[in-house]
Every structure is written in structure tokens, then in C-alpha cells.
């Protein structure tokens, strides 16, 4: 039977329309069948009733709860009021499920990264070990705050990512901290078949120096002076009115998962902290309480190494170390990619060596090792104890946990100013170029220990009464006596020796003023 021309035209129009309607209905049905928000339980209602959130004229939340866990509940709820979609995205990214929420190459890369570095095996192994019951209670209180917001705002909640647990917040540290160290640069170079990095820290310094050197005018120098963070502490002896001062001037993006969120958190258990945290952060990362304060700036020690393994041509999963054949640990995992009409599984194999996560490529097998590997959750314990410290002794004891693998830190209280080049600095065997790709056929290049906190570059109450760090070398922290001696620190640590315009101007301006106002 032959169709008339008019019927053929109608069929040609109706088929795409019908297909579009079917696909639209299917897409809507998929969304309707998603899990709902978490239930509004009596426990959540009771905890919410104990929390008070007051916003000042700038919108900054001032949060109070009877316990630290209750105050964390309020901090989560306040952040959710301000940007709940971002918080859901952060939870998805930390779980390695970002590609279920956002369809993009970067989302898939995030989910692969989470599996490659073993964020969740580390979280599950360390949550009960690395964190005190008090710290876990804070994380779980914060998780309850997110769950309460989702339960009371069901139209905003993507039920696929609820309930949120304390582990979801703790996992943010092994997820994010290696990225601050520049691990993503090495991963991108290997996966995209680009020239391998000779050390992310060295690259950054060379690029900055080259930009300033090659610029025909001062534009590059000016832009370089705006990049980075500044911290200053002025003692009573240098203050015109006898008041100790601390300047916290960290530079982060205006928006996104690492933009500062300002809050004031108090509890009847002695938590009273004002300052900045990141979205999803259950404590204040830097700021002040009624006794003391501190500021972080990014430092650039050599915190990660890249190894090329010597593999067996007959079996690329076997690699030789010190004459012994070892086998890569191998596992298969899938990333779920939501393409709208359905979820597409993307499966791949992941490998681990004695050095760390390994990547099998056409050019060979490479392994990565980074500071704090396997123990980054302790960063939360450290920050929580810093929040609760009443004096320099307690605060320094929190720092000695060495959960944070990086960040210059400038501290002040009524009687003390202090600087530490904080970091988990690997003790490396001399004789190798640690800014190049290292031989992975010997344990001599495999480090397992770090400098003790007491061995780090630091400055305590210098005679000048002045401390500064503007992403600069620790060896020019103050004026005159009191600076760390660079001869005491091995070159394998990769401690930067560079000064920038901000650091030089800080020393010149503050150093030339005996009565700082």
C-alpha cells in the first residue's frame, strides 16, 4: 500500500513530535521516580529547636547551640539557606557521583579521581581512628543540618544524595587537600599525554618569574602582586597603642566550592569562633575566637612525587623494585553518568603501587605519592582543636597533630605572635632530582616519614615585633634577628626561597614604622 504525499508529510511531522513527547515524558518520569528528600524525624526537629541563627546587617550568620554538634547543625543550615545547590554538588563530588548531577568532562574526571586516589577506602578506614568522638559529633551535627534543610525544602533537594552522613563531610579532606598540593596537574599531564610536569611548585614559580621577566611593562608584576594571600601580625612593642593586631587577608575565588563563607559559631561547650570556612566546612578554617586568631596563606613545598615504574614487558601489572617483582593492586569500578534519559556506566580499572595510586598508559606505568597520603582526615581534627584552643599552648598542640599537609600560618594572641611554615615535608633520600620523574625501581625514592612539627621553619615573638607572610619564603618572615636559617633545611624539601612584591612591600612599610596604628 502506497501512502499519499500528504499522509507521508503528516507522518514525517508526527513521528519526531511523538518521539519528542515520549522522550520528554520519560525524562519527567525519571525525575519523578528519583528518591525523595530525607524524612523529617523527631530527632531532627528537636535538634533544630535547640539552634538559634541570627544574621547581622551584612547577612553573616551568628549561630548558637547548646553543644558543638548543635552549633554545627546551625552552620550547615545557614550555608544551605545561602547556597543549597552548591552544597549538594559538593556532596556529589566528594562521593564520586558528580557526573550524576552535572554532565561534563570535568565531572567525570572528578569521579575518576575520587576512585583513583581512594577517597572512600581512606574515609572508611580512618573515620573512627583519625577523629575523636567530639570531632565526629560535629561532623554528624553538620550532616543533620543539611538533612533537616532538605527535609523542610523538598522541592530543592536531590534525593539521590541524601541522607548525608558525617563521613561525607570527612571525605572532603582526602578529596580536596591533594588538589591544593597540585596533584591534578600531574594527573592531567599523564592522562592527556602532555609533557610530564617537573614539579607543580617549580612550574608555578618559573611561570611567575617568566611572566614578570618577559613583560614589556609592569602589568604582569601588578597582576602577580594581586595573586595570593597576605597575613601580618604586629606585637605590642611595635604597636602605637599597645594592641596586638592580626591581619587575615586570604584570597580565594568569589564563588564555588573553595570560596570563603563567613560565619560566627558559638556553643555552651566553649566554641566561639568567627571567620571563614568553605561550603561544606563544619568548622572555621581561619579567623579568631575570644582568645586568639590565625591566618593561612598557601605555601609551595615539594609535597608530591611522580615515579615511572619498571614493568615486566610480558605483564604490565608487574613492576620491579630493588630486584623484586611486585604486582599492582587492581580493581574495577564504574562511574555513573546521567545523560538525562538514562544513566550510562563508565567502567575502568584502577591500580595502586607501593608508592601510591598508579596509572597505566601507552608510555608506561606512573605512580604518584603525595604528602598526607592515607591520613588527610586528621586535618579536620586539627582545625576543630584550633577552633577550641584558649591559649598558644593549646593551639600549638593542635598544630602538632600535623593533619594539615601545607599552608603558612600566622598566629596572634594578646601576648604572642608566631609564624610556622606548616607542612608534612617528606624526609627524602639525597641524590635524586625530586622535581623530575623519579625511578620507581628502588625504595630509596619512597618516603614514608615527615619532618616533626618542631623541625619546621617558624618564628616566635621576634625582636622586631613584626611577622608577615604573603606566599613568600619563610626565611624572610621578619626584620632582623629571628628568621629561620635556610642552611638547616635540606634542598629535597623544596622550600621556596622566593620573595614577591607583596612580601617585600610588607617588610619595607611595616619595618619602617616603629609605631604602627
Amino acid at each position: 500500500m502506497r501512502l499519499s504525499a500528504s499522509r507521508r508529510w503528516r507522518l514525517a511531522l508526527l513521528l519526531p513530535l511523538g518521539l519528542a513527547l515520549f522522550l520528554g515524558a520519560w525524562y519527567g518520569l525519571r525525575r519523578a521516580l528519583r528518591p525523595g528528600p530525607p524524612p523529617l524525624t523527631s530527632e531532627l526537629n528537636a535538634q533544630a529547636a535547640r539552634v538559634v541563627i541570627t544574621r547581622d546587617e551584612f547577612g553573616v550568620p551568628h549561630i548558637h547551640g547548646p553543644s558543638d554538634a548543635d552549633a554545627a547543625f546551625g552552620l550547615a543550615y545557614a550555608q544551605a539557606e545561602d547556597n543549597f545547590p552548591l552544597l549538594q554538588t559538593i556532596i556529589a563530588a566528594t562521593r564520586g557521583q558528580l557526573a550524576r548531577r552535572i554532565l561534563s568532562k570535568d565531572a567525570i574526571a572528578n569521579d575518576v579521581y575520587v576512585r583513583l586516589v581512594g577517597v572512600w577506602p581512606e574515609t572508611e578506614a580512618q573515620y573512627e581512628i583519625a577523629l575523636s568522638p567530639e570531632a565526629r559529633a560535629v561532623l554528624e551535627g553538620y550532616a543533620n543540618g543539611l538533612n533537616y534543610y532538605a527535609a523542610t525544602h523538598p522541592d530543592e533537594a536531590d534525593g539521590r544524595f541524601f541522607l548525608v552522613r558525617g563521613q561525607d563531610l570527612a571525605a572532603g579532606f582526602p578529596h580536596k587537600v591533594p588538589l591544593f598540593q597540585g596533584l591534578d596537574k600531574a594527573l592531567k599531564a599523564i592522562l592527556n599525554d602532555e609533557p610530564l610536569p617537573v614539579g607543580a611548585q617549580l612550574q608555578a614559580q618559573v611561570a611567575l618569574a617568566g611572566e614578570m621577566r618577559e613583560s614589556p611593562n609592569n602589568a604582569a608584576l601588578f597582576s602577580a602582586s594581586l595573586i595570593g594571600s597576605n597575613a601580618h601580625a604586629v606585637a605590642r612593642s611595635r604597636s602605637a597603642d599597645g594592641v596586638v593586631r592580626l591581619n587575615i587577608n586570604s584570597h580565594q575565588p568569589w564563588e564555588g566550592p573553595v570560596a570563603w563563607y563567613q560565619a560566627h559559631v558559638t556553643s555552651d561547650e566553649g566554641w566561639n569562633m568567627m571567620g571563614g570556612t568553605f561550603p561544606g566546612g563544619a568548622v572555621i578554617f581561619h579567623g579568631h575566637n575570644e582568645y586568639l586568631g590565625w591566618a593561612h596563606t598557601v605555601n609551595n613545598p615539594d609535597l608530591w612525587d611522580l615515579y615511572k615504574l619498571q614493568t615486566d614487558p610480558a605483564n604490565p601489572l608487574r613492576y620491579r623494585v630493588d630486584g623484586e617483582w611486585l604486582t599492582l593492586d587492581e580493581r574495577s569500578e564504574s562511574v555513573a553518568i546521567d545523560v538525562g534519559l538514562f544513566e550510562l556506566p563508565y567502567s575502568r580499572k584502577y591500580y595502586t603501587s607501593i608508592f601510591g595510586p598508579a596509572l597505566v598508559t601507552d608510555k608506561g606505568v606512573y605512580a604518584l605519592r603525595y604528602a598526607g597520603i592515607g591520613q588527610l582526615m586528621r586535618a579536620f581534627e586539627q582545625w576543630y582543636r584550633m577552633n577550641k584552643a584558649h591559649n598558644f599552648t593549646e593551639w600549638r598542640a593542635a598544630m602538632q597533630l600535623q593533619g594539615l599537609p601545607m599552608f603558612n600560618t600566622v598566629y596572634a594572641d594578646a601576648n604572642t605572635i608566631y609564624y610556622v611554615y606548616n607542612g608534612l615535608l617528606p624526609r627524602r633520600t639525597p641524590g635524586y632530582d625530586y622535581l623530575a620523574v623519579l625511578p620507581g625501581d628502588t625504595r630509596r625514592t619512597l618516603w614514608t616519614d615527615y619532618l616533626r612539627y618542631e623541625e619546621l621553619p617558624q618564628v616566635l615573638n621576634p625582636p622586631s615585633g613584626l611577622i608577615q607572610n604573603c606566599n613568600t619564603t619563610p626565611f624572610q618572615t621578619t626584620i632582623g634577628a629571628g628568621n629561620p636559617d635556610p642552611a638547616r633545611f635540606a634542598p629535597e624539601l623544596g622550600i621556596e626561597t622566593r620573595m614577591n612584591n607583596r612580601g617585600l612591600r610588607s617588610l619595607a612599610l611595616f619595618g619602617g614604622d616603629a609605631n604602627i596604628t
Side-chain angles (χ1 to χ4, degrees):
M1 182 179 69
R2 297 186 61 187
L3 296 174
S4 65
S6 61
R7 286 188 176 182
R8 288 198 300 271
W9 277 108
R10 284 198 295 271
L11 190 61
L13 291 172
L14 288 174
L15 279 175
L17 178 60
L19 181 61
L21 290 173
F22 171 77
L23 293 177
W26 174 249
Y27 178 76
L29 180 63
R30 281 196 73 231
R31 292 185 65 86
L33 292 176
R34 282 181 180 176
L40 185 57
T41 64
S42 58
E43 290 82 3
L44 288 177
N45 278 324
Q47 192 165 22
R50 297 195 295 267
V51 176
V52 176
I53 302 174
T54 305
R55 291 186 183 264
D56 62 25
E57 61 183 308
F58 302 105
V60 174
H62 298 256
I63 301 149
H64 182 78
S67 69
D68 291 352
D70 293 333
F73 179 107
L75 177 59
Y77 190 88
Q79 289 192 353
E81 284 185 313
D82 291 331
N83 200 337
F84 190 56
L86 176 60
L87 291 174
Q88 293 187 98
T89 299
I90 289 170
I91 295 299
T94 302
R95 287 184 180 172
Q97 298 179 2
L98 188 58
R100 297 184 73 196
R101 184 164 172 81
I102 299 171
L103 181 58
S104 72
K105 183 179 178 181
D106 287 342
I108 297 169
N110 169 84
D111 295 351
V112 169
Y113 160 80
V114 166
R115 288 156 178 79
L116 176 69
V117 300
V119 168
W120 279 96
E122 178 176 341
T123 300
E124 290 161 0
Q126 292 289 314
Y127 187 69
E128 300 282 343
I129 299 172
L131 300 175
S132 65
E134 296 81 7
R136 294 199 304 271
V138 168
L139 290 169
E140 287 151 17
Y142 187 99
N144 286 344
L146 293 183
N147 292 328
Y148 180 76
Y149 185 92
T152 53
H153 297 78
D155 293 342
E156 299 178 39
D158 187 338
R160 295 175 298 173
F161 306 110
F162 289 91
L163 288 166
V164 175
R165 305 163 301 153
Q167 289 94 327
D168 291 307
L169 290 314
F173 295 92
H175 176 242
K176 288 188 179 68
V177 173
L179 301 177
F180 270 96
Q181 298 181 30
L183 197 68
D184 55 324
K185 296 177 176 65
L187 291 172
K188 287 178 181 177
I190 296 169
L191 293 172
N192 297 333
D193 197 25
E194 298 172 355
L196 293 175
V198 293
Q201 297 79 20
L202 179 65
Q203 280 190 322
Q205 293 174 21
V206 169
L208 180 61
E211 183 182 32
M212 291 188 289
R213 207 171 38 243
E214 296 167 8
S215 174
N217 50 46
N218 288 329
L221 179 60
F222 176 72
S223 65
S225 72
L226 299 177
I227 298 169
S229 304
N230 311 309
H232 305 83
V234 175
R236 294 180 185 275
S237 62
R238 207 171 188 90
S239 173
D241 53 7
V243 173
V244 177
R245 287 187 168 83
L246 173 68
N247 174 41
I248 304 173
N249 180 217
S250 171
H251 296 178
Q252 288 295 116
W254 286 112
E255 57 188 14
V258 290
W260 286 123
Y261 182 91
Q262 186 177 358
H264 180 202
V265 186
T266 65
S267 81
D268 295 339
E269 294 181 340
W271 190 10
N272 182 13
M273 192 74 193
M274 163 73 91
T277 186
F278 290 157
V283 293
I284 302 301
F285 292 158
H286 71 178
H288 67 89
N289 59 30
E290 66 268 52
Y291 306 105
L292 52 88
W294 70 90
H296 292 308
T297 72
V298 172
N299 56 358
N300 275 319
D302 186 4
L303 294 178
W304 59 265
D305 285 321
L306 181 63
Y307 304 82
K308 186 167 186 179
L309 305 186
Q310 186 183 96
T311 56
D312 182 352
N315 181 359
L317 300 188
R318 293 212 313 162
Y319 62 105
R320 188 193 297 272
V321 180
D322 297 327
E324 175 188 6
W325 286 108
L326 305 176
T327 303
L328 293 172
D329 291 331
E330 179 184 8
R331 66 193 188 281
S332 295
E333 294 188 48
S334 292
V335 169
I337 304 169
D338 194 328
V339 295
L341 299 175
F342 53 88
E343 285 192 354
L344 180 69
Y346 168 56
S347 298
R348 61 171 292 160
K349 292 181 178 179
Y350 299 88
Y351 306 95
T352 305
S353 71
I354 62 170
F355 299 96
L359 290 161
V360 177
T361 75
D362 292 339
K363 291 189 174 181
V365 179
Y366 295 90
L368 285 153
R369 188 166 189 81
Y370 50 92
I373 188 168
Q375 61 183 56
L376 289 173
M377 205 174 304
R378 291 194 305 175
F380 181 79
E381 182 78 32
Q382 178 176 333
W383 261 318
Y384 174 57
R385 294 192 190 186
M386 291 160 69
N387 274 236
K388 297 292 294 283
H390 290 187
N391 52 54
F392 180 60
T393 300
E394 292 179 1
W395 183 88
R396 196 176 190 188
M399 290 290 289
Q400 288 169 338
L401 291 176
Q402 290 191 284
L404 284 172
M406 59 185 300
F407 301 129
N408 297 293
T409 307
V410 172
Y411 167 97
D413 63 31
N415 303 301
T416 304
I417 64 171
Y418 172 73
Y419 161 81
V420 59
Y421 185 86
N422 182 65
L424 284 172
L425 305 189
R427 295 185 189 272
R428 295 181 169 100
T429 302
Y432 294 92
D433 182 359
Y434 288 94
L435 293 179
V437 179
L438 291 166
D441 60 355
T442 173
R443 286 181 173 83
R444 287 180 60 80
T445 57
L446 172 62
W447 41 266
T448 57
D449 194 17
Y450 305 97
L451 292 192
R452 292 180 295 106
Y453 183 83
E454 293 73 20
E455 298 176 279
L456 298 173
Q458 45 200 292
V459 175
L460 175 62
N461 289 328
S464 68
L466 167 67
I467 283 173
Q468 67 78 36
N469 187 274
C470 302
N471 311 113
T472 44
T473 178
F475 306 128
Q476 289 180 258
T477 295
T478 189
I479 296 167
N483 281 306
D485 179 4
R488 292 182 52 242
F489 300 94
E492 291 81 16
L493 299 171
I495 298 174
E496 60 266 43
T497 58
R498 158 180 89 83
M499 284 294 285
N500 58 26
N501 186 54
R502 289 174 288 117
L504 291 170
R505 294 304 295 156
S506 292
L507 291 175
L509 291 170
F510 286 94
D513 190 345
N515 293 290
I516 297 170
T517 64

